[in-house]
Amino acid sequence: MVYDFLLEFIDHFGYIALFLVLCLGLIGLPIPNEVVVMTAGTLSATGILYYPFAYLAVSLGICSAMTVGYVVGRFFVKTRLFRSMQKTTKTERYFMISEKWFHKYGGFAISMSLCLPFLRHITMYVAGMNRMSYRRFVRYAYPAAFLWTLVFFLLGIVAEDHIAEIGALIEHYGIIIVIVLIVLLFIYLLFRSSRKKQPHKTLSGRK
């Protein structure tokens, strides 16, 4: 099982495993990025990993994968391998969607694409192909990556043993599930915050 392999990999290599799995996800590893980030959150909640290091590892992993995609799109777009990748039916459709988004929303297409598996990688190529400057790419890509990672990291803390099921739903239903999960997480955090602010009741007549 993919999830068991992920846990074993993290057990052997720790924070480096989190970084590598997300970075290498660019080449099609069969582990959804959402599952990896949520796993990091869950393992941090159980004390196996340290929160700041785990969050930093997954965030940098996502940022590195995005950067590699941008560099390939900008400097290696004319290679035979890249051209053959564009010709597959599935990939060509995603390239068309990403191109449309990029011309309609500009740099915000990078942030939006993070919510959709596979399209998140294609959009980085498209940003490079359209000669977006690296400085402008960083401005849209990295803040979105850290925010996206934070959402799923927190979901992992809450989800506990349901990570694999949530990851499968995200993979099939994409952005709809992401929006629902973000809303539910927001409601949950508001509920916990309101409970903490409630004054403790004391029994009348006792000093």
Side-chain angles (χ1 to χ4, degrees):
M1 185 177 178
V2 173
Y3 185 62
D4 294 331
F5 164 77
L6 175 61
L7 291 177
E8 187 176 346
F9 193 45
I10 294 172
D11 183 54
H12 279 81
F13 299 101
Y15 304 103
I16 297 176
L18 294 172
F19 174 84
L20 287 176
V21 170
L22 288 169
C23 182
L24 297 176
L26 185 73
I27 62 174
L29 285 180
I31 307 175
N33 290 344
E34 293 82 0
V35 170
V36 180
V37 177
M38 286 191 292
T39 300
T42 298
L43 294 178
S44 299
T46 56
I48 297 174
L49 298 177
Y50 183 48
Y51 284 105
F53 293 162
Y55 174 67
L56 187 61
V58 290
S59 297
L60 292 179
I62 290 292
C63 289
S64 64
M66 296 171 77
T67 305
V68 169
Y70 166 81
V71 171
V72 170
R74 180 154 188 180
F75 299 106
F76 300 96
V77 68
K78 294 182 180 180
T79 61
R80 184 179 299 176
L81 177 63
F82 194 89
R83 287 199 301 268
S84 64
M85 183 181 70
Q86 285 183 278
K87 290 179 181 178
T88 64
T89 305
K90 181 181 177 181
T91 307
E92 186 178 8
R93 181 165 61 90
Y94 279 111
F95 265 103
M96 290 176 62
I97 295 171
S98 187
E99 283 278 7
K100 185 178 180 181
W101 278 24
F102 194 82
H103 290 300
K104 187 174 182 179
Y105 304 109
F108 288 109
I110 296 172
S111 307
M112 293 164 57
S113 69
L114 277 173
C115 298
L116 294 170
F118 197 73
L119 189 65
R120 66 173 63 111
H121 300 310
I122 297 297
T123 304
M124 306 310 135
Y125 296 134
V126 171
M129 289 166 58
N130 281 274
R131 315 299 295 175
M132 174 183 274
S133 69
Y134 178 69
R135 183 176 298 180
R136 187 161 177 251
F137 170 79
V138 167
R139 210 163 51 232
Y140 286 102
Y142 292 177
F146 274 87
L147 179 60
W148 180 91
T149 305
L150 179 62
V151 169
F152 284 97
F153 193 82
L154 293 174
L155 280 171
I157 295 174
V158 176
E160 296 181 352
D161 297 328
H162 304 288
I163 294 175
E165 292 88 340
I166 293 174
L169 286 173
I170 292 169
E171 193 173 9
H172 283 89
Y173 298 102
I175 196 167
I176 298 174
I177 298 297
V178 172
I179 293 171
V180 171
L181 288 174
I182 291 173
V183 171
L184 291 175
L185 176 63
F186 183 69
I187 293 171
Y188 173 77
L189 293 175
L190 281 178
F191 175 72
R192 288 197 61 177
S193 177
S194 64
R195 289 197 64 180
K196 287 181 180 180
K197 290 180 181 179
Q198 288 179 0
H200 295 288
K201 295 181 180 180
T202 57
L203 295 174
S204 57
R206 291 189 178 183
K207 294 183 180 180

